[in-house]
Amino acid sequence: MLKIENYTKHYGDFLAVDKLNLHVKPGTLVGFIGHNGAGKTTTLRSIAGILDFDGGTIEINGTDIEKDPIRVKSVTAFIPDNPELYEFLTGAEYLDFISDVYQLDDAVRQERIHRYARTFEIESNLSDRVSSYSHGMKQKLALIGALIHEPKLMLLDEPFVGLDPIAARSLRGYLRDICDNGGAVLFSTHVLEVAQKICDEIAIIKKGKLVVQGVTEELTQKESLEDIFVELSQSEVV
Ligand code: ATP
C-alpha cells in the first residue's frame, strides 16, 4: 500500500531524513515512533504530498506520488498534528467542501457525515462556525473530513493527543476498519502503550534513520516497546 525507498529530505544543509526505507502492507496498522525531531512529521508530510523531498521514491497503492499526485491523493488522507481548518466555515460547510473535493454524491456524504459526526459527538455543533470549536472538536472535524472519502491509506500525526477517551476509542475502531477493508494506516505517536496495544507493526526512526521495523508482537515478546525505545535511545545510530 505504501512503499518508501531511500527517502531523503534536507532543510537547507541539515539532513532531516536519510535514505529511509519503509513498506506498509495492505491490512497493516503501523506506529511511527521516534524522539522529538527524529523526522516523523517530515516523512508524513512528504508521503501526503505537501512537502517536497530531495531523494528516493514514494509509492502509494502502486502509484509514484510524484508522477500522479492527484490519483494518489484520491486514495489518501492525512491528519496533521495541528489541523488548520477554514475557521469562517461552519462544520457542515467544511465537510460539504471536502465532500465536493472528493466528488461524493449527496446521499453518500449525508450518511457518512451523520454517522461520523454522531460517533464523534459533534453532530449538534455542525451548524456552528469552526472558529468557535475547541481544539478537540477541530480535531474531530478534521478526522471526519479525512474519513469521509474512505481512504485506502490513512496518515496521521499524533492523532490521539487532545481527543477524549471515547473519541480515541472510536478512532482506533475506524483505523482498524480501514485495515480490515484492505487499506493501511501509518501514524506517529509518543504514546508507546497505545502503539504497542493497537499497532500490527512498529517503525522506529532515530535522527532521520529508520532503526527498527517489525511486527509488534514479535518485537515486544521479551520487553515492552518503551524498554526497546529507551535502549535504542542510548545506542549510537550507525
Ligand atoms: P516531533 O516528535 O517533535 O513532532 P518529528 O519526529 O516529527 O518531531 P520533524 O518535525 O520531522 O520531527 O523534524 C525533523 C528535523 O527537521 C528536526 O531537527 C527539525 O528541527 C527539522 N525541521 C523540521 N521542519 C523544518 C523546517 N521547516 N526548517 C528547518 N528545519 C526543520
Side-chain angles (χ1 to χ4, degrees):
M1 182 58 60
L2 170 66
K3 202 157 130 187
I4 306 177
E5 304 270 3
N6 292 317
Y7 163 75
T8 301
K9 171 69 188 172
H10 289 84
Y11 293 105
D13 292 336
F14 175 69
L15 178 58
V17 184
D18 187 14
K19 296 193 191 72
L20 180 131
N21 293 297
L22 179 63
H23 292 191
V24 179
K25 294 184 289 294
T28 316
L29 207 162
V30 180
F32 199 25
I33 314 290
H35 284 91
N36 293 131
K40 301 177 298 296
T41 300
T42 298
T43 307
L44 287 169
R45 283 168 56 84
S46 286
I47 304 168
I50 53 175
L51 181 69
D52 61 2
F53 49 102
D54 326 305
T57 54
I58 301 176
E59 265 182 31
I60 294 176
N61 205 24
T63 305
D64 186 314
I65 67 162
E66 292 187 298
K67 294 198 177 127
D68 196 345
I70 300 290
R71 187 189 176 92
V72 162
K73 286 191 172 83
S74 71
V75 296
T76 309
F78 173 52
I79 303 277
D81 52 356
N82 207 356
E84 303 269 349
L85 304 171
Y86 300 112
E87 303 264 331
F88 55 89
L89 296 179
T90 65
E93 286 167 344
Y94 173 78
L95 293 175
D96 242 356
F97 167 67
I98 299 292
S99 302
D100 284 345
V101 169
Y102 288 105
Q103 300 173 337
L104 300 178
D105 72 38
D106 257 9
V108 169
R109 76 176 66 179
Q110 288 317 325
E111 188 278 322
R112 291 182 189 167
I113 290 171
H114 177 70
R115 177 158 45 96
Y116 292 128
R118 200 175 43 180
T119 306
F120 285 121
E121 299 178 314
I122 59 163
E123 209 171 14
S124 60
N125 307 101
L126 287 183
S127 53
D128 301 334
R129 278 185 198 269
V130 174
S131 55
S132 72
Y133 283 23
S134 70
H135 174 74
M137 286 159 71
K138 285 181 187 169
Q139 217 177 333
K140 290 175 177 182
L141 189 67
L143 282 168
I144 299 171
L147 290 163
I148 206 162
H149 69 109
E150 300 197 328
K152 282 183 180 300
L153 177 68
M154 183 82 149
L155 307 161
L156 309 100
D157 202 354
E158 286 285 348
F160 297 105
V161 174
L163 283 185
D164 64 57
I166 306 292
R169 186 158 72 174
S170 303
L171 176 59
R172 290 201 298 271
Y174 285 135
L175 298 183
R176 183 49 67 192
D177 288 346
I178 291 175
C179 295
D180 289 348
N181 291 325
V185 175
L186 176 66
F187 74 97
S188 74
T189 184
H190 291 296
V191 190
L192 301 185
E193 295 83 1
V194 171
Q196 180 166 347
K197 190 165 133 197
I198 70 169
C199 294
D200 304 310
E201 291 186 17
I202 298 291
I204 304 181
I205 184 172
K206 181 176 174 185
K207 294 183 184 164
K209 284 179 186 279
L210 194 78
V211 288
V212 170
Q213 185 182 4
V215 174
T216 314
E217 218 174 278
E218 292 171 6
L219 286 173
T220 58
Q221 246 169 14
K222 293 203 180 109
E223 51 188 351
S224 70
L225 189 55
E226 189 180 78
D227 291 337
I228 295 170
F229 188 82
V230 171
E231 276 167 30
L232 279 169
S233 316
Q234 287 157 356
S235 69
E236 283 302 309
V237 175
V238 280

